[in-house]
Amino acid sequence: MIRLKHIYKSYPLGDTAVDVLQDVSLHIRPREFVSILGPSGSGKSTLMNIIGCLDVPDSGDYLLDGEYVDDCTEDQLSEIRGKKIGFIFQQFNLLPELTAFENVEMPLLYHHLTAAQRRERVEATLAQVGLSDRMDHRPSQLSGGQQQRVAIARVLAMEPSIILADEPTGNLDSASGKEIMDIIQGLWQAGNTIVLITHDTQVADQAQRKIYVRDGKVSGKEPAL
C-alpha cells in the first residue's frame, strides 16, 4: 500500500537548507491503522504531506499501491489524491455559505456522477456520521464536532482507500473528540487504511501501530528524551 524508501526532504532557510526528513523508510499495509507522533518541528507534517501526495521528496522512493509516485507531475499527483486519498484536517475547511449537504457534494461535482447519484452518496455519508437531520444546516449552525463530522462525510463521499487524519480532534472538546475517534475506528474496521497524525498519546494509542518522528527520523519505538 504505502512504502517509503530512504526519503530525504529539506527546505531552504536563507542561504542554507534545513533537513526535515532524513533517510525515512516505512511501510504501511492495506487496511492498517497507524498513528504518527512527534513534537512540533519533528517532521511529521512533512511526512504526512509526502504520503498524501501534497509534496514530493528531494530523494528516495515512494511507492503507492506498487507504483512510484515521487516523480509524478502536479496533475498526476492531483489525480492520485482525487482517486485514492482522503484528508481530515484539524481545521474543518467547510465553506461557510454552504449547507452540510452542499459541502459534502462540492467535490463530487468534478466527477462523472448524475445529480441523483450525488444526492444518494451525500445522504448516505451524512447518515453514516449521524447527521441526517443536519443536512440543511450551515457550519455556523453546527457544533465543532458536527462540523468535523461533515468534513469526514465529505471525505467518505469520495470513497478513498486511504484516509489521512491530521490532528482530527485538536479543536474539539473531549466528548466530541471521542465521537470523532469512534467514527475513525469504524472507518478502519470497514476496510480503510488510516494514517493519523497527532501529538496526543491517548489518541495515538487507539491505532494498531505507532510511528515516532523526531528530528526528521522515524522509529517504531518511542525515542528517549
Side-chain angles (χ1 to χ4, degrees):
M1 171 67 76
I2 296 170
R3 187 180 293 274
L4 275 64
K5 299 179 179 180
H6 307 295
I7 294 292
Y8 287 83
K9 183 68 180 180
S10 63
Y11 293 106
L13 181 64
D15 296 330
T16 62
V18 176
D19 294 328
V20 181
L21 295 178
Q22 303 177 57
D23 198 21
V24 169
S25 296
L26 61 85
H27 181 205
I28 299 174
R29 298 171 181 83
R31 300 187 176 187
E32 192 173 15
F33 185 0
V34 174
S35 62
I36 298 178
L37 296 98
S40 177
S42 63
K44 65 182 186 296
S45 293
T46 299
L47 178 59
M48 188 205 76
N49 288 341
I50 289 175
I51 292 173
C53 296
L54 294 169
D55 201 353
V56 294
D58 295 332
S59 63
D61 294 323
Y62 176 20
L63 289 90
L64 181 60
D65 292 337
E67 297 184 1
Y68 288 91
V69 300
D70 38 285
D71 291 327
C72 287
T73 65
E74 284 295 330
D75 287 344
Q76 289 171 328
L77 291 173
S78 179
E79 184 176 358
I80 291 169
R81 292 194 299 269
K83 289 182 176 179
K84 297 185 177 184
I85 303 171
F87 297 89
I88 304 171
F89 294 105
Q90 181 175 352
Q91 306 294 334
F92 316 128
N93 296 335
L94 302 179
L95 296 174
E97 69 276 13
L98 300 184
T99 64
F101 182 98
E102 292 165 339
N103 266 287
V104 176
E105 184 187 33
M106 177 63 71
L108 297 178
L109 296 174
Y110 302 96
H111 289 66
H112 299 295
L113 298 172
T114 66
Q117 289 171 327
R118 292 198 305 270
R119 172 165 286 279
E120 181 180 2
R121 193 179 292 190
V122 172
E123 289 179 348
T125 54
L126 283 169
Q128 189 174 346
V129 298
L131 289 177
S132 291
D133 60 341
R134 294 290 188 272
M135 288 194 296
D136 295 328
H137 288 60
R138 289 181 171 78
S140 62
Q141 299 170 306
L142 301 171
S143 68
Q146 289 171 333
Q147 291 183 61
Q148 187 64 293
R149 280 190 272 164
V150 172
I152 291 173
R154 182 178 55 194
V155 169
L156 297 181
M158 299 296 291
E159 300 181 342
S161 57
I162 302 168
I163 296 175
L164 301 184
D166 187 7
E167 301 283 3
T169 63
N171 281 341
L172 304 176
D173 58 65
S174 57
S176 296
K178 182 181 183 306
E179 290 177 355
I180 295 305
M181 287 307 302
D182 286 346
I183 291 172
I184 290 174
Q185 284 280 351
L187 299 178
W188 167 51
Q189 291 165 8
N192 291 283
T193 302
I194 308 289
V195 181
L196 175 73
I197 310 294
T198 185
H199 67 275
D200 187 329
T201 56
Q202 291 184 330
V203 170
D205 285 343
Q206 298 182 51
Q208 283 179 296
R209 179 164 64 97
K210 289 181 281 190
I211 295 172
Y212 297 91
V213 183
R214 181 177 289 275
D215 298 329
K217 299 178 180 180
V218 302
S219 171
K221 296 182 179 179
E222 186 171 7
L225 297 176

